[in-house]
Amino acid sequence: MSISITLPDKSVLNFDQPVTVQEVAESIGPGLAKATLAGIVNDKKVDNGFLIERDAALKILTPDSPESLELIRHSTAHVLAQAVTRLFSKVQLAIGPSIKEGFYYDFDLETTFSPDDLVRIEKEMNKIIAEKIPFQRLEMTKAEAMALLKERGDTYKIEMLEGIEDDHVSFYQQGEFLDWCRGPHLPDTGKIKAFKLLKTAGAYWRGDEKRPMLQRVYGTAFPKKDELEAYLHRLEEAVRRDHRKLGKELDLFSFSDEVGAGLVIYHPKGAAIRYALEDYLKKEHVARGYQPVIGPQILKVDMWKTSGHYQMKYPMYFTKIEEQEYGIKPMNCLAHIMIYKAKTRSYRDLPLRLFELGTVHRHEKSGVLHGLLRLRGFTQDDAHIFCLPDQLLSEIKGIIDFVDSTMSLFGFTYELEISTRPEKSIGSDEDWEQATAALKETLDQLGLPYDINEGDGAFYGPKIDIKLHDAIGRSWQCATIQCDFSLPARFDLSYVATDGSLKRPVMLHRVIFGSLDRFFGILIEHYAGAFPVWLAPTQVRIIPVSEQQTPYAERVADQLRQAGIRVDLDSRNEKLGYRIREGAKEKIPYLGVVGEREAANNQVALRKHKEGDLGSIDLEALREKLTSEIANRQ
RNA sequence: GCUGGAGUAGCUCAACUGGUAGAGCAGGUCACUCGUAAUGAUCAGGUAGUGGGUUCGACUCCCAUCUCCAGCUCCA
């Protein structure tokens, strides 16, 4: 009997009898043998002890393999669970998967974990790692497993096992600790080189708020210490850039207990940035053939019944005027639909692109509010495109082009996701299929890769979501394109076709920023509060060296202001160094110092944020420089 | 909404086991008139998120409520 094993480089190794992954590694070399964590046999991840019994393709996983990360984290989760069972009595294990940035493990225990506990658990974990305990795989039938779990009283595991189809399952044992688990795992606990417990939190069993609240411990692990440190540094960086903190420090916006949760108040500096963003949007929409419109804040409740929002229990606010019930708009589409309906439309009128900076209100649950990123009242750069079915593709292409140019303006990369029909939805199956196909076809034609997010569409149609990546690698959902056959039918929209018959238009809902408020919050973190000139609330600050230059400084500020530049003056009775420091702390792009020399020569000594002194330039040159940078959105 | 934590001057924070609150920065005033990241002096500022309760007495204990933070669930 002979077994041939094909390695990723297509080379083939032959063995006389079944071999384990580890043995294959040993036959290649001692270095690899030592580094081997696990293997991938015919696309399936397995332990290093997995016995290969027939011809197979094998990839050996070492700490350098990207596929190892998940493995390392999952095994670290097991070590966490082992440590917790050592330190706490009466613990029930629930579930402990690896996740995008690390891992967690959910426990059911009577007390809640304190920060001190976290330190204790971490210490115990380090002990377990130092012990280099092997992970051993035990296989058995489902019935045997069930008996074992019942004997141990593992109620959560029993519930999970009941949902499993396979007849054979596995357990993993490391020392005294045994856990029902699919695996695979590292060879032994000593292979864990860099981990950290991050936080504890409550989490419902299976995410269901009616089920018991468990204690979740979050942590992360990496193959190498420096990778862990880089990750922890990134977390610190995210804290440093937190838009809620910067918003307060830079005096951009505030929230108030008296006003209410989730309702943002923009201060002058924050509003300056908002207006700059709105100006960009308005100009860009008009240039792309959209027509700006304005709808009312509240609409009679019957409108929301026709649209389906009411029956769908969309989280809206309602109010009454003389016994007539009104709904405060959570979306802008209805007024746009009424504009379409205001007169008979011909196929010649389509596509009709209506755009509005529409402020909407949604009754978000209190626990989800989060700075500017999750509000109860926010403004969307919302547009609705009414078009012929055969215009759908080109319209979607146009929107994607818009998204692309906007993302590159801010330096965001992005990826696409198509979300399909959710459980709570309206419309016929055919319409959903047609709409979903249209979205896929467009992206296919454009050659753009995308993921499918099943069941995550809007209630009236499927959507393309755009996830952007910011300066420190986090992703955010902002832009979305939704294809809708339902609302045109519900509101009985029609156009006169070439043959004189009445036909139904298709509707696209789309946003580019999504919520201006959220986008602003993301920008604050993206730029770490140091906005480019075109967005900065104060684009240049003029600082006279001493009182004698104040009149000249006022003239400089005034001339720049006349040119439409956001300029201010700091002629306070403070030392120059002090005022430079203040300007730097406020992250103002340019500081213009004027002393005796500048006043005599009609010049300004320019200092750029983060870059320092640029030397003196003529006032006229400064005006042109700033005007051009602002116009080019630099 | 749920679980846990928090709420002291504009901001950041402090005050032993209950005995009616302090500092730095910011702000006002004065002096200095200053050349690229903190000049000095001085003054003012809070009754402790809000409402109840316990107590001779509460910032400190209890209850309710509001808001914030972390997570769950949900979402632009």
Side-chain angles (χ1 to χ4, degrees), chain A residues 616-634:
Chain A
S616 291
I617 65 170
D618 291 341
L619 174 55
E620 184 59 17
L622 175 61
R623 191 183 61 79
E624 274 170 31
K625 177 183 166 65
L626 292 174
T627 309
S628 122
E629 285 182 11
I630 292 163
N632 293 320
R633 301 199 176 100
Q634 290 178 317

Side-chain angles (χ1 to χ4, degrees), chain A residues 164-193:
Chain A
I164 296 283
E165 307 255 321
D166 289 351
D167 208 36
H168 287 270
V169 296
S170 59
F171 280 77
Y172 275 81
Q173 179 154 29
Q174 79 239 38
E176 82 287 357
F177 178 79
L178 182 71
D179 195 3
W180 175 60
C181 175
R182 186 179 294 128
H185 277 283
L186 299 173
D188 65 78
T189 58
K191 295 281 192 261
I192 296 166
K193 300 298 181 194

Side-chain angles (χ1 to χ4, degrees), chain A residues 343-549:
Chain A
K343 63 179 182 180
T344 306
R345 300 288 177 179
S346 148
Y347 72 95
R348 292 170 187 277
D349 296 331
L350 306 183
L352 181 69
R353 306 188 188 102
L354 303 179
F355 162 70
E356 176 174 8
L357 288 173
T359 301
V360 297
H361 289 82
R362 297 181 186 173
H363 189 163
E364 301 295 351
K365 292 178 180 178
S366 56
V368 305
L369 302 174
H370 184 93
L372 294 178
L373 304 184
R374 199 70 185 274
L375 296 164
R376 291 205 170 123
F378 57 97
T379 302
Q380 296 177 305
D381 56 339
D382 205 358
H384 295 89
I385 300 174
F386 301 87
C387 66
L388 309 175
D390 64 12
Q391 291 171 332
L392 214 42
L393 258 64
S394 68
E395 286 306 309
I396 295 172
K397 280 181 190 170
I399 296 165
I400 290 186
D401 182 69
F402 196 166
V403 169
D404 189 73
S405 78
T406 302
M407 293 303 129
S408 61
L409 170 64
F410 295 100
F412 291 126
T413 56
Y414 62 92
E415 59 197 41
L416 304 166
E417 214 169 63
I418 289 181
S419 295
T420 60
R421 184 168 194 168
E423 273 180 40
K424 270 172 68 178
S425 56
I426 56 174
S428 70
D429 290 346
E430 301 87 76
D431 284 350
W432 273 88
E433 273 162 37
Q434 196 185 341
T436 310
L439 296 180
K440 286 181 179 169
E441 201 182 327
T442 311
L443 295 186
D444 288 339
Q445 275 195 21
L446 289 168
L448 296 169
Y450 57 88
D451 290 331
I452 300 281
N453 199 352
E454 294 292 348
D456 209 31
F459 74 81
Y460 45 77
K463 55 182 186 171
I464 299 174
D465 284 330
I466 289 91
K467 291 216 157 125
L468 63 82
H469 301 289
D470 71 7
I472 54 171
R474 292 171 304 177
S475 66
W476 306 95
Q477 209 246 283
C478 293
T480 172
I481 305 167
Q482 303 170 353
C483 188
D484 182 5
F485 288 85
S486 298
L487 293 184
R490 284 177 161 258
F491 283 93
D492 194 25
L493 302 187
S494 63
Y495 64 89
V496 180
T498 45
D499 62 1
S501 67
L502 284 182
K503 293 236 164 69
R504 187 84 74 211
V506 187
M507 197 175 160
L508 287 170
H509 308 241
R510 49 102 289 184
V511 288
I512 306 294
F513 284 4
S515 151
L516 266 75
D517 312 84
R518 168 183 280 187
F519 198 77
F520 178 33
I522 292 167
L523 284 180
I524 293 171
E525 305 200 356
H526 181 61
Y527 292 124
F531 289 95
V533 183
W534 74 281
L535 289 175
T538 302
Q539 294 168 318
V540 57
R541 167 170 295 168
I542 306 302
I543 306 177
V545 171
S546 80
E547 242 168 44
Q548 265 120 50
Q549 289 86 40

Side-chain angles (χ1 to χ4, degrees), chain A residues 293-299 329 332 335-336 339 355-359:
Chain A
V293 298
I294 298 170
Q297 233 16 263
I298 59 175
L299 290 81
K329 68 171 173 176
N332 303 296
H336 297 189
I339 293 167
F355 162 70
E356 176 174 8
L357 288 173
T359 301

Side-chain angles (χ1 to χ4, degrees), chain A residues 225-238:
Chain A
K225 279 238 158 58
D226 55 345
E227 291 172 70
L228 174 65
E229 262 151 43
Y231 173 76
L232 294 176
H233 182 260
R234 203 153 66 84
L235 289 186
E236 280 170 29
E237 186 62 15

Side-chain angles (χ1 to χ4, degrees), chain A residues 79-89 91 93 120 123-129 131 133 174-177 189:
Chain A
V79 172
L80 162 63
Q82 183 175 15
V84 170
T85 46
R86 278 187 183 181
L87 297 173
F88 298 83
S89 55
V91 183
L93 303 176
R120 278 174 61 214
K123 262 198 192 132
E124 191 63 35
M125 288 173 71
N126 278 317
K127 253 167 77 183
I128 293 167
I129 290 167
E131 288 167 24
I133 308 171
Q174 79 239 38
E176 82 287 357
F177 178 79
T189 58

Side-chain angles (χ1 to χ4, degrees), chain A residues 544-555 569 571 579 594:
Chain A
V545 171
S546 80
E547 242 168 44
Q548 265 120 50
Q549 289 86 40
T550 300
Y552 173 66
E554 279 167 356
R555 270 208 311 284
L569 182 70
S571 55
R579 287 174 290 161
V594 293

